[in-house]
Amino acid sequence: MINPNEGLSEYFDEQSLRLAWERMKCSNGRDVRDFFGIEVFSISLKSNLKALSEKIAAGNYQPQRPFKYYEPKASRTHRTKTVLFIEDAIVYQAIANRIAFNNFENLNRFNDYVFGSVLHPQVAGGNMLLDMADGDYYFFDYYVPLYNRFVNSVNKELENPNIRFKLETDITGFFDSIPHSKLLIALSRNFQVPDVILELLKHALNVWSGTRDSVTFGVGIPQGPAASFFFANVLLAGLDEKITTAGYAYYRYMDDIRIYEEKEDSLQDALILIDNYLKSNSLSLNTKKTSIEEIKVDRNFKKSLASPYDDDEGANLSREEGLRRGNDLHAIQNDFAAHDVNDVVGTEDLKRLTVEELIEFCHSEIEIVAIELPKRMDEIGMMSEHLAMALTDHEIQREIIDLAFRWRNAANILKSIGRKPILHKSLIPYWIEGITHMFWKANHFCWNLNQYGPDEHIKHNLLKLFQKFKQLEWVRYQILSNMALVQRFNLSELRHFFRELLEEQSELTRLGYYQLLLSHLEVGQQLLTAVNTKVSQEKSLYLRQYLALGVAKRQGLGNSEIIKNWFGL
């Protein structure tokens, strides 16, 4: 007789859950992380993991409906981002961990032409990683070198003068459109995942599916958790095999697909293969981003590829990687080399830089941006009737974001090694214009504005933009949460924010208000009591839990008191 729970222990024993915990903590981006859950779960980590393992084995585990918010795209449509509660995040990562470990070699077959969310080499060690003193818990390899391999592979193809045509395409609403049935079939047939795991995953994906307002049974995986990037690759593994075995020069970075050929007809055939595969998996090509074109005379393709820190995954991992690496000079040098921010200094030269030479290099980066950004933005303004229209051009977007990143990265590195960066105030209007016209990248420009510290001119402009973007909760959240970090507000201004908070319908925007208020109010102030009361009455469970930490810290409460006072546990 077959045990219906066979396979649960392999995926969810205490060791497997511990590895999932470690990996979930370091892999998820800050914007899709259950901070309260991590804090509370870590208090009694061993017993909590044991209890979760026993709950799953007994059939008592039930996934929760997660916190969701809307992040804008350039088109003014949006993507739904998902924050799983802590137990769900651990379970989801544990499933991905075991499948990746069991099928590591099989999945690695595609690493020469698939560059997005590539498994970290130490994933092959499975739970043994927990016993390694120098173990790296990241689920995926650092994305920047992978992106550079993507660029180099494409450029190598273009060195062949016989290559005359290129096919570019991607998938419409990829994460939101993935059918659970097709994913589960692929996991069963190609990755030998037990039925009991498939049933659990099926139920969880249904609970986690859809938007903030409704579920979409049978369709969509949560965008945000690292495990979702893994499962997206699992579903496209069949496409990778089909196209490469047909002999095409094929490269994929998540759902961004490139193929290069000598003849246009060959690319038409490849497009049909891709289209048929996607349709057989209930997916569809993005027709607006699908093209077969002759390669121009300028065959340096690098600048027409998306920047690695210009995509959803990169934006999250970029900050996390910085936190992980801290003040490690060698790691900093490797990061600069990986980003290839200066063609004059090569990778090996950069690794040999002394601290003083690195400082000089960072100063040079800041000065280059101080010259190039105004020049480029002014050129755009002169060439275009409206700057906003020019900034809808993808290549111009990438160029501006690249300059913003270079400037911020150099400034952060100087601060990390105890040196004061040169911050040109003349760039402030350009960062503000970036938020105005590239609102879907508002976080980048807000981070840059934070470098200047408290500034009334910046605060005034951010408040104007906050009112401008009433329909875009993510932009409003970025403005509020970034102002909370550096700007100063008097009590009258804080009262005004509190009254707006009382009327705010968006959970994400309310979170931004709470963060700003809690970061500025002092213990004993009457308004702080009102904010604390509002937090305790917050209808969103995720916000109530998230903010409990901030409230408790302001009041000097310990972890046990957080749980006692807020949840009565």
Side-chain angles (χ1 to χ4, degrees):
M1 182 175 178
I2 297 175
N3 181 354
N5 289 333
E6 186 177 358
L8 285 177
S9 60
E10 179 188 13
Y11 281 70
F12 304 118
D13 62 17
E14 291 178 50
Q15 285 291 92
S16 296
L17 293 179
R18 176 60 186 265
L19 179 61
W21 158 265
E22 297 292 349
R23 201 159 267 157
M24 176 275 305
K25 282 197 306 175
C26 69
S27 291
N28 282 4
R30 292 184 59 82
D31 293 339
V32 288
R33 183 178 296 183
D34 176 11
F35 284 99
F36 176 85
I38 291 171
E39 180 93 6
V40 173
F41 206 85
S42 65
I43 296 169
S44 302
L45 179 60
K46 188 173 181 179
S47 61
N48 284 331
L49 291 173
K50 183 175 186 292
L52 178 57
S53 179
E54 291 172 350
K55 183 193 297 188
I56 297 169
N60 295 327
Y61 163 73
Q62 290 297 326
Q64 290 181 270
R65 184 71 179 153
F67 176 71
K68 290 177 177 279
Y69 63 89
Y70 298 127
E71 185 177 272
K73 301 178 183 178
S75 61
R76 287 190 177 267
T77 59
H78 59 247
R79 62 172 59 89
T80 299
K81 299 295 286 293
T82 299
V83 185
L84 298 178
F85 286 98
I86 185 63
E87 285 193 351
D88 294 341
I90 293 171
V91 167
Y92 195 33
Q93 186 62 51
I95 296 172
N97 281 351
R98 179 53 59 172
I99 296 170
F101 170 68
N102 288 344
N103 298 273
F104 188 80
E105 294 302 322
N106 184 28
L107 289 165
N108 269 5
R109 290 183 300 140
F110 310 121
N111 283 2
D112 288 337
Y113 44 89
V114 174
F115 304 101
S117 299
V118 172
L119 293 173
H120 192 286
Q122 291 193 357
V123 170
N127 291 350
M128 290 188 296
L129 184 62
L130 295 167
D131 299 322
M132 296 173 58
D134 58 347
D136 193 330
Y137 291 116
Y138 275 79
F139 192 43
F140 300 125
D141 253 354
Y142 187 31
Y143 72 100
V144 174
L146 293 172
Y147 167 79
N148 285 335
R149 280 182 49 214
F150 182 34
V151 170
N152 293 336
S153 297
V154 168
N155 284 333
K156 189 172 181 179
E157 290 293 337
L158 296 176
E159 290 172 4
N160 180 354
N162 295 323
I163 297 294
R164 294 182 53 216
F165 296 93
K166 62 181 180 182
L167 162 63
E168 300 179 14
T169 190
D170 69 12
I171 302 169
T172 300
F174 185 32
F175 284 82
D176 294 333
S177 302
I178 290 176
H180 300 169
S181 60
K182 297 295 184 180
L183 175 60
L184 296 172
I185 288 170
L187 290 171
S188 176
R189 289 180 179 174
N190 304 326
F191 298 90
Q192 293 74 52
V193 179
D195 289 346
V196 66
I197 301 299
L198 297 177
E199 283 299 317
L200 189 155
L201 182 59
K202 176 183 176 181
H203 176 50
L205 290 178
N206 274 325
V207 174
W208 302 334
S209 72
T211 67
R212 183 173 61 207
D213 305 313
S214 65
V215 298
T216 53
F217 291 114
V219 179
I221 63 176
Q223 190 161 353
S228 287
F229 290 93
F230 170 74
F231 287 117
N233 270 342
V234 162
L235 191 60
L236 293 184
L239 176 65
D240 300 332
E241 185 165 17
K242 181 180 287 288
I243 301 299
T244 55
T245 55
Y248 290 102
Y250 163 85
Y251 303 98
R252 180 169 69 79
Y253 193 90
M254 291 313 298
D255 64 330
D256 181 1
I257 297 169
R258 313 285 170 122
I259 302 180
Y260 301 90
E261 272 291 331
E262 298 179 14
K263 297 179 180 179
E264 186 175 4
D265 289 349
S266 296
L267 291 180
Q268 295 284 1
D269 294 339
L271 183 59
I272 291 171
L273 281 176
I274 295 170
D275 191 38
N276 288 344
Y277 179 88
L278 294 178
K279 285 177 177 173
S280 70
N281 284 281
S282 303
L283 298 169
S284 58
L285 288 173
N286 186 337
T287 54
K288 290 184 179 180
K289 294 184 178 179
T290 299
S291 64
I292 295 176
E293 298 177 351
E294 187 170 5
I295 297 169
K296 307 301 182 192
V297 175
D298 179 7
R299 300 176 68 85
N300 183 0
F301 204 62
K302 182 173 181 177
K303 292 187 181 298
S304 67
L305 290 171
S307 300
Y309 36 84
D310 192 28
D311 62 16
D312 178 60
E313 179 190 7
N316 284 328
L317 294 181
S318 161
R319 291 198 287 175
E320 294 304 296
E321 190 71 13
L323 291 172
R324 178 169 76 107
R325 287 166 180 243
N327 295 335
D328 183 340
L329 177 60
H330 184 63
I332 288 170
Q333 291 168 329
N334 283 337
D335 276 353
F336 257 112
H339 281 294
D340 194 23
V341 292
N342 192 314
D343 292 334
V344 176
V345 181
T347 300
E348 293 306 316
D349 292 332
L350 193 56
K351 288 179 180 178
R352 289 192 290 268
L353 291 182
T354 64
V355 172
E356 291 304 318
E357 288 170 334
L358 182 63
I359 290 169
E360 183 180 350
F361 180 69
C362 289
H363 283 164
S364 173
E365 281 291 285
I366 290 171
E367 292 298 329
I368 287 170
V369 174
I371 294 169
E372 290 299 320
L373 180 67
K375 178 182 175 182
R376 189 68 183 105
M377 293 283 271
D378 291 343
E379 284 175 356
I380 294 167
M382 287 187 291
M383 293 187 298
S384 310
E385 184 178 353
H386 299 291
L387 179 63
M389 291 176 61
L391 289 177
T392 60
D393 182 279
H394 290 297
E395 290 194 26
I396 294 175
Q397 289 173 23
R398 294 178 194 122
E399 190 175 349
I400 301 301
I401 289 293
D402 177 73
L403 288 168
F405 174 84
R406 290 172 61 176
W407 184 87
R408 181 173 68 252
N409 208 29
N412 281 334
I413 287 173
L414 287 172
K415 288 179 181 179
S416 75
I417 56 179
R419 300 303 176 97
K420 186 177 180 180
I422 301 168
L423 302 175
H424 297 275
K425 286 201 169 186
S426 60
L427 292 179
I428 290 174
Y430 296 100
W431 306 137
I432 292 169
E433 285 297 298
I435 299 173
T436 305
H437 299 297
M438 295 175 63
F439 52 85
W440 59 99
K441 295 297 180 186
N443 51 341
H444 287 271
F445 302 110
C446 283
W447 297 338
N448 282 19
L449 288 169
N450 282 352
Q451 298 284 346
Y452 297 94
D455 185 287
E456 285 297 315
H457 173 68
I458 292 174
K459 184 176 84 171
H460 173 74
N461 280 280
L462 287 176
L463 289 171
K464 284 174 60 178
L465 290 171
F466 181 76
Q467 294 303 320
K468 173 183 173 67
F469 291 111
K470 283 185 176 295
Q471 302 304 313
L472 298 178
E473 63 174 0
W474 181 83
V475 177
R476 286 164 68 85
Y477 170 73
Q478 293 298 330
I479 291 171
L480 285 171
S481 62
N482 278 278
M483 286 196 302
L485 292 173
V486 297
Q487 301 304 333
R488 294 172 181 157
F489 298 93
N490 60 41
L491 192 56
S492 294
E493 290 172 316
L494 295 175
R495 284 199 183 99
H496 177 73
F497 285 132
F498 180 70
R499 291 175 185 132
E500 288 186 338
L501 163 65
L502 296 177
E503 304 298 322
E504 182 58 53
Q505 297 302 306
S506 162
E507 293 179 358
L508 186 65
T509 306
R510 288 206 305 275
L511 178 58
Y513 276 123
Y514 281 124
Q515 289 175 335
L516 189 149
L517 289 164
L518 290 171
S519 67
H520 286 81
L521 290 169
E522 298 295 333
V523 175
Q525 285 185 297
Q526 190 178 64
L527 185 57
L528 180 59
T529 302
V531 173
N532 292 346
T533 301
K534 174 63 178 169
V535 170
S536 68
Q537 298 170 348
E538 173 59 53
K539 59 186 178 181
S540 166
L541 173 62
Y542 175 75
L543 261 62
R544 193 163 68 249
Q545 291 183 347
Y546 186 109
L547 293 161
L549 291 176
V551 171
K553 287 175 181 177
R554 296 308 305 275
Q555 295 180 343
L557 300 177
N559 287 324
S560 60
E561 290 175 282
I562 294 175
I563 300 172
K564 177 182 175 182
N565 292 342
W566 287 85
F567 298 97
L569 299 177

